[in-house]
């Protein structure tokens, strides 16, 4: 029996073909945390940006393999870590995906099982505010497209509308295409 062939059939063997074993998603939380920690130790990034007045924690996972990025996103969600996927390209112009994690959620996770000392230091030594505008993009409420359309139709936006009415109309107009509203925005509607 060729052990390499068995492993290859379960996880792939090239950057574009590797993936998480299906059993990962039905395993214990401890096992999933270990897999997530290994991914973040090796291919993940936890760093600090000093571009603003206060240091900003930045955490992501990136790959040329969209399947793997989606699997890491599912694994993170199963551990309570919200994220968004954005597309990019390599220097050679090939497709590349970046999975950006909610810093509040990554901070709560705390790097359980990670070994990379620099990434752990960034994670443990950088303050993260749970009420920041950046966090709002991860804390979203799904809004069915048809509901958003019905709300905007019912509200309308005549010139004589109040500021609150126009604001509500704008929020749900955007939800007609995004399919969601941030919780922070929804709580601000009157």
């Amino acid at each position: 029996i060729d052990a390499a062939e068995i492993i290859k059939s379960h996880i792939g063997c090239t950057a574009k073909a590797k993936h998480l074993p299906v059993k990962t998603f039905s395993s214990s939380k401890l096992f999933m945390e270990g897999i997530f920690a290994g991914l973040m130790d090796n291919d993940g990034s936890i760093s600090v940006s000093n571009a603003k007045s206060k240091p900003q924690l930045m955490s992501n996972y990136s790959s040329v393999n969209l399947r793997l990025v989606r699997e890491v996103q599912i694994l993170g969600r199963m551990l309570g870590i919200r994220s968004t996927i954005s597309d990019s390209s390599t220097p050679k112009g090939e497709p590349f995906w970046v999975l950006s994690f909610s810093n509040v959620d990554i901070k709560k996770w705390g790097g359980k099982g990670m070994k990379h000392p620099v990434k752990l230091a960034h994670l443990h030594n950088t303050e993260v505010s749970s009420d920041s505008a950046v966090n709002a993009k991860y804390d979203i409420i799904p809004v069915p497209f048809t509901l958003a359309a019905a709300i905007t139709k019912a509200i309308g936006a005549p010139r004589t509308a109040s500021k609150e009415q126009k604001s509500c109309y704008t929020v749900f107009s955007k939800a007609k295409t995004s399919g969601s509203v941030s919780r922070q925005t929804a709580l601000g509607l009157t």
Side-chain angles (χ1 to χ4, degrees), residues 42-56:
N42 293 291
D43 296 333
S45 172
I46 299 176
S47 59
V48 177
S49 169
N50 291 301
K52 297 186 178 183
S53 60
K54 287 176 43 181
Q56 303 290 309

Side-chain angles (χ1 to χ4, degrees), residues 20-40:
L20 298 179
V22 174
K23 290 186 176 197
T24 300
F25 305 104
S26 60
S27 298
S28 70
K29 183 176 181 182
L30 183 63
F31 180 82
M32 288 190 282
E33 285 175 340
I35 293 290
F36 190 78
L39 289 162
M40 292 304 291

